[in-house]
């Protein structure tokens, strides 16, 4: 299947790689189908299949935050039909604002990799914030707001 994107133009995706968010992503509830597009390892884009302008920069939080842990509640496991921890993929959305990159550790995306169903959950954990600066990333003033150096991604 081909989809149009504002960032990558027209791309070919496999139907069986479409990730379904039955509840949508908060703020984008009408968009249910997404696909992961590899960018610069370990960064990926979570791109909406049905809206060429909607995409999120995502990364596994465990790569950049070694002490990060996610307690997936039973209702989320049941909703996603997770039968094994090996089927669980956790991603967080990155935000770039004023040359500062933050990760939303408070509300990770949780996906069942065996059936490509996902949901964004809200963690009841005081250690995590919606805008957590990436560790080891010290932006240098560049005068170009919203641009990221190659070192950051």
């Amino acid at each position: 299947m081909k989809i149009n994107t504002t960032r990558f133009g027209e791309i070919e995706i496999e139907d069986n790689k479409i990730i379904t968010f039955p509840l949508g992503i908060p703020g984008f509830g009408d968009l249910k189908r997404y696909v992961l597009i590899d960018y610069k390892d370990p960064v990926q884009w979570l791109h909406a299949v049905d809206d060429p302008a909607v995409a999120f920069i995502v990364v596994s939080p465990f790569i950049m935050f070694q002490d990060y842990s996610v307690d997936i509640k039973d209702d989320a496991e049941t909703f996603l039909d997770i039968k094994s921890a090996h089927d669980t993929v956790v991603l967080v959305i990155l935000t770039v604002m004023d040359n500062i990159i933050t990760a939303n550790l408070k509300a990770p995306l949780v996906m069942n990799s065996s059936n490509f169903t996902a949901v964004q959950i809200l963690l009841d954990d005081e250690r995590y914030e919606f805008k957590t600066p990436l560790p080891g990333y010290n932006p240098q003033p560049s005068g170009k707001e919203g641009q990221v150096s190659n070192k950051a991604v």
Side-chain angles (χ1 to χ4, degrees):
M1 144 184 231
K2 290 185 180 182
I3 65 168
N4 288 311
T5 72
T6 57
R7 288 160 187 83
F8 307 106
E10 185 176 84
I11 60 171
E12 183 78 29
I13 61 169
E14 297 176 40
D15 288 346
N16 63 345
K17 299 292 184 184
I18 293 175
I19 302 162
T20 302
F21 283 78
L23 305 175
I25 293 175
F28 301 88
D30 57 329
L31 298 173
K32 311 283 189 204
R33 301 182 318 148
Y34 292 83
V35 65
L36 281 172
I37 300 170
D38 289 332
Y39 186 57
K40 293 180 182 178
D41 192 38
V43 177
Q44 296 177 295
W45 285 89
L46 180 68
H47 206 293
V49 171
D50 300 309
D51 188 329
V54 176
F56 304 96
I57 305 168
V58 296
V59 68
S60 169
F62 309 111
I63 294 170
M64 299 186 175
F65 301 90
Q66 275 72 34
D67 295 334
Y68 187 71
S69 64
V70 176
D71 180 21
I72 302 170
K73 303 292 183 200
D74 290 343
D75 57 339
E77 285 183 353
T78 301
F79 182 77
L80 295 173
D81 195 28
I82 294 174
K83 295 181 178 18
S84 166
H86 297 292
D87 294 335
T88 307
V89 175
V90 177
L91 299 170
V92 293
I93 296 174
L94 299 182
T95 303
V96 180
M97 182 71 83
D98 297 329
N99 206 31
I100 297 171
I101 303 172
T102 59
N104 182 351
L105 299 181
K106 188 75 167 175
L109 306 171
V110 178
M111 180 178 82
N112 180 337
S113 62
S114 68
N115 66 13
F116 287 83
T117 302
V119 67
Q120 185 172 31
I121 63 173
L122 182 62
L123 299 178
D124 185 23
D125 191 324
E126 298 293 322
R127 296 176 297 166
Y128 304 128
E129 300 176 15
F130 293 104
K131 292 185 176 186
T132 305
L134 293 188
Y137 174 69
N138 297 310
Q140 301 298 317
S142 68
K144 298 178 182 177
E145 294 182 4
Q147 293 186 357
V148 180
S149 72
N150 289 334
K151 295 177 187 174
V153 290

